[in-house]
Amino acid sequence: MKILVLNCGSSSVKYQFFDLDKNLALCKGLVDRIGMAGAVLAHSRYDGEKINLVAEILDHTMAIEYVVAILMSKNHGVIATQKDIDAVGHRVVHGGETFSGSIKITDDVIRVLHENIGLAPLHNPPNIKGIQAVTRLLPDTPQVGVFDTAFHSNMPHKAFLYGIPYELYKKHKIRRYGFHGTSHRFVSASAASMMNKDISELKIVTAHLGNGCSMAAVDRGKSIDTTMGFTPLEGLLMGTRSGDMDPSVILYIMGKEELTSSEANTLLNKHSGLTGISGESSDMRDIITSMKEGHKRSRYAFEVFCYRIKKYIGAYAAAMGGLDALVFTGGIGENSADVRAEVCKDLGFLGLEIDGKKNDSREDDISAPNSRVKVFRISTDEELVIARDTQEIVKGN
Ligand code: ADP
């Protein structure tokens, strides 16, 4: 089956096109600056063929029209006609409490996505636009929604309820949802297969460390807790997001700095985290470089970042009553030996130790030979999960 995977953001569409029978990503790309001057489509094919197009791309429908056209292009494409697209899988950020797994898109599903816009005002609207654009352009092609929240949807009440009046949970759906679910699902399953074990026997902590960062406690294949909450702001320190803090802090800042709620929202989401503490950059590479040059605030940012991850490893080992594996993924998790080393330092008491040499190399298994807990760095592949889920659902219908 050939599946087009779409990840629609407010001004961008990321895409990847798979031939799952051949287990191959045929091409991928990004349409950026939608609705702005100088929109760009950057496309690359599996054989290394690449093209960048600058065009006037007014909206998501036009962007997806361009994507379909480039898939069929003589020089850069991989298919002959639109009919070669068997199905389209969409990354959808928020499934609310309704969707606990991937689902075929119907009018009812779109209605529920609209109802959930309040929960993800920045993310769900472009996801819906992408679905509607495909409906217009490829009306006979089945579409599937794969939700960032779904993997965490079976967390127990003790993990997802906030300590606020229960009526507010019922009335406004204020609870912890968690995100990055597709990635946590993929890397925990990959770790189990690297250990030659069934995931139902394992207690795994997964750390997805990219621009956004979250961890999950995956107990026998199910996420029982995760660090992100009602929104992706909770939990770990991130590139520009604060992560956990006393909620009173924000009320206090709003008073002292005379901020509106929208300004406070921007402060916590865009100007905090690594950027906020270091005053330098949201990019972990820059933080590490400037820390090594002796920049004090970059060192603080690095230390807060790693310390929080370490704390959650302990918390989740306690929540699961044990730990068999720890997985690092995402741009930082996959690439930063410094972060992995700092996080894993002094965790010998948990039976967890990494091998310094393997950590500096590109190996998947970076555990020390005597480490009871396996430690992995695994490249996440959310698009592949979306493609596989889409195939499974379309074939099952
Ligand atoms: P996104 O969450 O937007 O998908 P990524 O998963 O690509 O982002 O992660 C981006 C982060 O990965 C950035 O902070 C970047 O600095 C970090 N990163 C990428 N390569 C390295 C590296 N070699 N060392 C440290 N950090 C890295």
Side-chain angles (χ1 to χ4, degrees):
M1 226 179 201
K2 293 199 178 80
I3 313 275
L4 174 62
V5 173
L6 294 177
N7 180 353
C8 297
S10 57
S11 61
S12 70
V13 173
K14 263 196 214 162
Y15 64 92
Q16 201 157 338
F17 189 62
F18 291 89
D19 183 340
L20 288 181
D21 300 331
K22 296 196 177 125
N23 221 356
L24 193 64
L26 295 174
C27 59
K28 62 179 176 181
L30 170 71
V31 187
D32 212 359
R33 300 181 58 83
I34 297 171
M36 299 177 222
V40 190
L41 188 159
H43 173 83
S44 65
R45 204 166 56 184
Y46 68 96
D47 57 2
E49 172 74 31
K50 283 192 170 121
I51 180 172
N52 277 352
L53 288 175
V54 179
E56 201 180 358
I57 299 179
L58 300 179
D59 55 21
H60 287 73
T61 304
M62 258 180 106
I64 294 170
E65 227 170 327
Y66 269 92
V67 171
V68 173
I70 199 116
L71 290 181
M72 298 189 303
S73 124
K74 264 213 173 83
N75 294 330
H76 307 285
V78 289
I79 52 173
T81 77
Q82 288 189 6
K83 291 209 172 66
D84 294 329
I85 304 173
D86 294 309
V88 179
H90 294 267
R91 175 193 179 211
V92 184
V93 168
H94 216 306
E97 289 198 305
T98 322
F99 302 115
S100 56
S102 304
I103 190 159
K104 184 158 185 232
I105 302 285
T106 60
D107 289 344
D108 273 349
V109 170
I110 295 176
R111 186 180 45 74
V112 176
L113 291 180
H114 272 288
E115 285 168 12
N116 282 339
I117 282 179
L119 295 174
L122 298 180
H123 293 102
N124 274 20
N127 297 157
I128 296 169
K129 277 188 195 162
I131 291 169
Q132 288 170 332
V134 173
T135 308
R136 269 194 294 279
L137 295 166
L138 307 169
D140 301 323
T141 309
Q143 302 185 65
V144 169
V146 178
F147 301 93
D148 263 23
T149 46
F151 185 54
H152 306 298
S153 66
N154 292 313
M155 286 194 295
H157 282 76
K158 64 184 175 190
F160 78 68
L161 282 180
Y162 286 117
I164 54 174
Y166 189 76
E167 297 74 32
L168 292 175
Y169 158 52
K170 287 315 243 182
K171 193 169 160 196
H172 301 299
K173 300 183 180 167
I174 300 170
R175 51 159 282 178
R176 308 185 63 252
Y177 290 98
F179 300 87
H180 289 146
T182 315
S183 177
H184 291 295
R185 174 154 67 106
F186 178 78
V187 298
S188 54
S190 305
S193 80
M194 286 174 188
M195 294 167 80
N196 279 324
K197 293 230 163 109
D198 197 293
I199 197 160
S200 63
E201 300 166 21
L202 296 170
K203 296 170 193 294
I204 304 176
V205 169
T206 49
H208 178 109
L209 311 175
N211 283 314
C213 301
S214 71
M215 293 170 67
V218 184
D219 190 359
R220 290 163 287 176
K222 296 206 157 53
S223 169
I224 60 141
D225 204 348
T226 189
T227 56
M228 283 178 170
F230 180 60
T231 72
L233 188 55
E234 191 178 341
L236 302 177
L237 194 80
M238 309 179 211
T240 59
R241 295 187 199 131
S242 64
D244 291 336
M245 61 179 201
D246 180 344
S248 311
V249 170
I250 194 57
L251 302 176
Y252 190 76
I253 297 176
M254 285 171 77
K256 286 281 177 196
E257 300 286 322
E258 297 181 10
L259 300 185
T260 62
S261 65
S262 149
E263 286 165 338
N265 196 34
T266 306
L267 176 78
L268 292 179
N269 279 289
K270 304 267 186 225
H271 303 299
S272 298
L274 294 174
T275 296
I277 296 180
S278 72
E280 292 278 299
S281 172
S282 64
D283 189 306
M284 184 53 90
R285 284 166 291 202
D286 300 338
I287 297 292
I288 291 174
T289 305
S290 79
M291 169 178 85
K292 288 183 177 170
E293 286 165 355
H295 190 267
K296 200 168 66 178
R297 281 174 57 181
S298 293
R299 168 162 297 282
Y300 294 153
F302 178 82
E303 287 176 352
V304 173
F305 184 88
C306 296
Y307 178 66
R308 278 210 196 159
I309 299 167
K310 188 190 283 275
K311 275 208 299 195
Y312 273 112
I313 294 171
Y316 287 169
M320 293 191 287
L323 182 64
D324 299 303
L326 168 66
V327 183
F328 290 96
T329 191
I332 299 172
E334 289 164 36
N335 296 305
S336 179
D338 290 311
V339 166
R340 294 191 299 260
E342 179 70 17
V343 167
C344 294
K345 201 166 71 184
D346 301 328
L347 289 182
F349 76 96
L350 267 180
L352 187 161
E353 203 181 321
I354 58 170
D355 180 302
K357 273 211 185 97
K358 289 186 191 164
N359 186 38
D360 290 338
S361 74
R362 303 287 304 168
E363 286 187 47
D364 292 333
D365 181 347
I366 57 171
S367 344
N370 60 343
S371 182
R372 193 189 51 73
V373 177
K374 287 280 177 197
V375 187
F376 298 102
R377 57 164 289 285
I378 297 176
S379 301
T380 194
D381 197 340
E382 288 154 285
E383 286 78 13
L384 180 63
V385 178
I386 296 172
R388 285 180 181 158
D389 274 18
T390 301
Q391 167 167 275
E392 197 179 308
I393 284 172
V394 170
K395 277 192 171 166
N397 270 272

